[in-house]
Amino acid sequence: MPAAPTCSLDLSFPCIMGVVNVTPDSFSDGGRFLAAEDALAQALTLVREGAAIVDIGGESTRPGSEPVPAARELERVLPVIDALAGLVGVPISVDTTKAEVARGALAAGASLINDVSALRGDAQMVDVVAESGCPVCLMHMKGQPKTMQDDPRYDDVVDEVLRFLEERMAFALARGVREDQLLIDPGIGFGKTVEHNLALLRDLHRITALGRPVVVGASRKRFLGAILGAEPEGRTIGTVATTVIGLLAGAHVFRVHDVKPNFEALRVALAVLEGAPTT
Ligand code: HH2
């Protein structure tokens, strides 16, 4: 397979990854961007608001969700990625666990694979990553979306997530993926109680200590609702709090639906840490 056109990801600065779900059933924006033109318009808005990466997904992984066939996922994401790649310079990420979808998305102009199964969902995915040379995000998930929130248990959630990420990184390296392609993600909300999510955010520095860029995906998630008593659209400021906490722990990429407030918080927090405004 030919290498995708833009396979490098500049993570010299922490950045915002804007989320667009081209799905009928995502937990917070399901149905809003199912039409390609609506998804494209939303992606362009997120880039204008400061997203340095746009993550396009065609299958919901919310608790209880049903898997979607590859053909349906491709139908949803390809027109959006194709059009977006012609319009913006920022890297486009495809949120998929399927090798066929990843291949199609890379050919259409995506340059990052966001695999919530961490290369476990499809035996061919690791080869797509190795052959393309593109960055890949390996995320922790306990169980499968359909049942992952049915009483998840850990002896020590942070230890287990650390061990899992180390094992998945070793697997990828053994199969020909370069270390500099790897991003890692504790998988906030994927087979975790409120307390598990809080422990992971509190101890995020242990995950950043693994030495690869860490992605944090806390945006509008249920644990914020449990703290705030708010529906997804009322969880924006709570999400911003997780972005600042993540930044202080050394995380690099903040996957959010509400780009503007998270980007502003990131810029202010970075300016404080650097002692001067950053661009
Ligand atoms: N969370 C979701 C989807 N993809 N990818 C990464 N790397 N990290 C995450 O935490 C993450 C993710 C779930 O959020 P969303 O896409 O908004 O919902 P849905 O899965 O219902 O489409």
Side-chain angles (χ1 to χ4, degrees), residues 66-153:
E66 296 287 348
V68 166
R72 172 75 48 79
E73 222 182 301
L74 281 165
E75 249 168 53
R76 290 175 180 172
V77 299
L78 282 192
V80 182
I81 293 172
D82 193 39
L84 191 59
L87 293 172
V88 296
V90 304
I92 301 169
S93 155
V94 61
D95 188 345
T96 189
T97 59
K98 301 185 186 77
E100 186 185 342
V101 176
R103 257 191 225 108
L106 293 179
S111 54
L112 192 162
I113 299 169
N114 177 20
D115 181 356
V116 299
S117 80
L119 308 176
R120 295 174 300 162
D122 182 330
Q124 290 177 26
M125 186 66 113
V126 66
D127 300 324
V128 176
V129 176
E131 286 161 21
S132 67
C134 278
V136 62
C137 178
L138 306 175
M139 196 198 76
H140 176 269
M141 167 164 44
K142 193 176 180 91
Q144 295 298 319
K146 185 107 185 93
T147 51
M148 66 189 176
Q149 289 308 111
D150 299 348
D151 194 22
R153 287 172 194 230

Side-chain angles (χ1 to χ4, degrees), residues 2-3 15 32 35 40 43 50 52 64 80 101 109 116 133 144 147 152 163 166 182 189 194 198 206 238:
C15 69
R32 286 188 59 201
L40 183 62
V80 182
V101 176
V116 299
Q144 295 298 319
T147 51
R163 278 201 309 275
E166 281 173 334
L182 300 177
V194 173
L198 296 177
R206 293 178 58 198

